[in-house]
Amino acid sequence: MTRPRTTPCRKTEAHLVCGRAERAGAPTKGITLFESIANDSTSSASVLTRLAARELAEMVEESRAKEAGVFWDELHTACRELVSAKREMASIISLVSQVLGAAERSVLSGVSPDTARRIVYAECSKIWDMGETLLEELGLEGAGLVPAGGTVATVSTSESVRAVLAAAVRDGTECRVLISESRPSNEGVEFGTSFPAWGIPVTLVVDAALPKMVERCQLVLVGADAVSENDFVNKTGTYALALAAREAGVPVYVTATTDKFIAEGARGRPDRVWDPGEVLPSPPPGVTVENRYFESVPLSLTEGIVTEGGIVDADEVAAKILAKPITPALVEILFPRAVETSP
């Protein structure tokens, strides 16, 4: 099998993810296959999806199943585990749908286990390899939005935002970036401090300051972990930024590859509560900490979604979602009770 590249063509956030995991001693293989992905609270969905594709490819390569049905069970279990690890990231759901679809077609066609493994491995490798290409295409679609000599506000970390700004710079557009620290993990600090290497000056502010300061900007660009019929999911603080931008008359665009388009009922809950110790290690009696990483933001606050295929209007999102194929095996993972009780 031709192994997927384990590093992107350019130095992107994926290098930082791998390096961070090694420094922190986070396992790439361990008690849970996707433990390092599940515990990663700072990397973008694009990066984690490509890393998940690589992990699945390695699992497939290492499988010793001698029957196609056994191989299917192994893969189905791994995919269920991956969805559980990062259900709030729609691109992870899309990855699982593509991989299970390829496996289902191969197993049902009666091919040998070795052939089924090769087919699924190729699908994982394609997703890994195409990730960088899709981001480059998205960047080209959005580069024209970046105002020459203007300031772009953003929050958290996003490879699609990086792709748009990088494409604009390559086109000769000079701009600045205003970004908040993005507590509690402070991924905005790492993301923001990477831009000067691209020739983009950055102003880094605390989270609470960003909404007011958006009035000095000409554009807001944010990423998304999921885009649904009426809203999108991104790091907490995005909603306040979008509201402030509307009041200031600053256009807001979401940047997301179309693998992040997902029906609201199928995505993970954005209000999941994370480790309270990240905010306050030892809260005194009577104090409850709610550490929410993500929130949903109405699409009505945006001008559109920049994708690899162009800019999509909010009222076009539902049709895009309906047009996406979904394998029955993924439905079983997402809605196990519904499948169990169906006639």
Side-chain angles (χ1 to χ4, degrees):
M1 299 179 186
T2 302
R3 299 182 62 84
R5 294 194 306 268
T6 55
T7 55
C9 297
R10 296 191 300 271
K11 183 179 176 64
T12 65
E13 191 179 347
H15 289 74
L16 301 174
V17 173
C18 296
R20 186 186 303 119
E22 290 170 0
R23 291 192 298 272
T28 54
K29 303 286 184 184
I31 299 175
T32 304
L33 179 63
F34 303 105
E35 185 174 354
S36 59
I37 292 175
N39 294 333
D40 193 312
S41 62
T42 60
S43 301
S44 70
S46 298
V47 167
L48 290 180
T49 300
R50 296 183 69 208
L51 293 178
R54 186 182 69 184
E55 291 290 324
L56 279 175
E58 291 178 354
M59 187 280 293
V60 168
E61 186 179 43
E62 294 168 4
S63 171
R64 295 295 178 264
K66 297 186 181 302
E67 297 180 5
V70 175
F71 171 65
W72 168 260
D73 289 342
E74 290 178 352
L75 182 64
H76 193 271
T77 298
C79 286
R80 183 187 297 112
E81 188 175 300
L82 176 56
V83 169
S84 177
K86 276 288 186 284
R87 179 161 177 170
E88 65 272 13
M89 292 184 172
S91 52
I92 293 285
I93 305 298
S94 293
L95 161 66
V96 169
S97 184
Q98 288 179 248
V99 170
L100 286 178
E104 195 169 47
R105 290 189 297 272
S106 62
V107 171
L108 290 177
S109 67
V111 300
S112 69
D114 285 343
T115 300
R117 274 191 287 268
R118 283 195 293 271
I119 291 172
V120 175
Y121 188 95
E123 189 70 23
C124 294
S125 300
K126 181 177 71 174
I127 294 168
W128 170 267
D129 291 333
M130 283 297 293
E132 191 91 2
T133 300
L134 294 178
L135 286 172
E136 290 176 353
E137 293 173 353
L138 182 152
L140 293 174
E141 294 290 345
L145 298 173
V146 179
T151 300
V152 179
T154 192
V155 63
S156 190
T157 182
S158 168
E159 285 302 292
S160 53
V161 169
R162 189 201 302 272
V164 170
L165 293 173
V169 169
R170 288 195 298 270
D171 286 345
T173 302
E174 295 183 358
C175 64
R176 298 184 59 90
V177 166
L178 173 67
I179 187 171
S180 60
E181 57 189 342
S182 305
R183 280 179 48 82
S185 299
N186 289 329
E187 69 274 9
V189 176
E190 186 170 300
F191 187 52
T193 53
S194 71
F195 282 111
W198 294 74
I200 303 175
V202 172
T203 299
L204 177 67
V205 299
V206 297
D207 290 339
L210 186 60
K212 175 61 178 175
M213 294 179 69
V214 75
E215 62 189 19
R216 68 171 66 173
C217 300
Q218 289 70 49
L219 176 68
V220 173
L221 277 182
V222 294
D225 288 319
V227 178
S228 298
E229 299 91 333
N230 300 305
D231 59 11
F232 69 98
V233 175
N234 199 44
K235 182 69 182 281
T236 297
T238 305
Y239 196 1
L241 175 61
L243 286 171
R246 183 180 64 181
E247 290 299 309
V250 179
V252 177
Y253 283 87
V254 181
T255 61
T257 47
T258 52
D259 61 350
K260 294 181 180 179
F261 283 38
I262 187 171
E264 183 179 350
R267 76 186 188 202
R269 293 182 56 182
D271 59 353
R272 173 181 171 187
V273 177
W274 297 71
D275 180 13
E278 294 180 325
V279 178
L280 186 62
S282 301
V287 174
T288 299
V289 177
E290 288 197 8
N291 181 18
R292 298 181 185 270
Y293 284 179
F294 304 105
E295 63 187 2
S296 59
V297 183
L299 285 173
S300 59
L301 293 176
T302 73
E303 299 296 321
I305 304 97
V306 182
T307 75
E308 70 275 17
I311 298 177
V312 176
D313 291 334
D315 57 6
E316 298 176 316
V317 171
K320 297 282 187 184
I321 292 172
L322 286 174
K324 292 183 65 175
I326 180 170
T327 180
L330 175 60
V331 175
E332 181 184 343
I333 291 175
L334 295 178
F335 308 106
R337 292 182 181 178
V339 172
E340 290 171 2
T341 57
S342 61

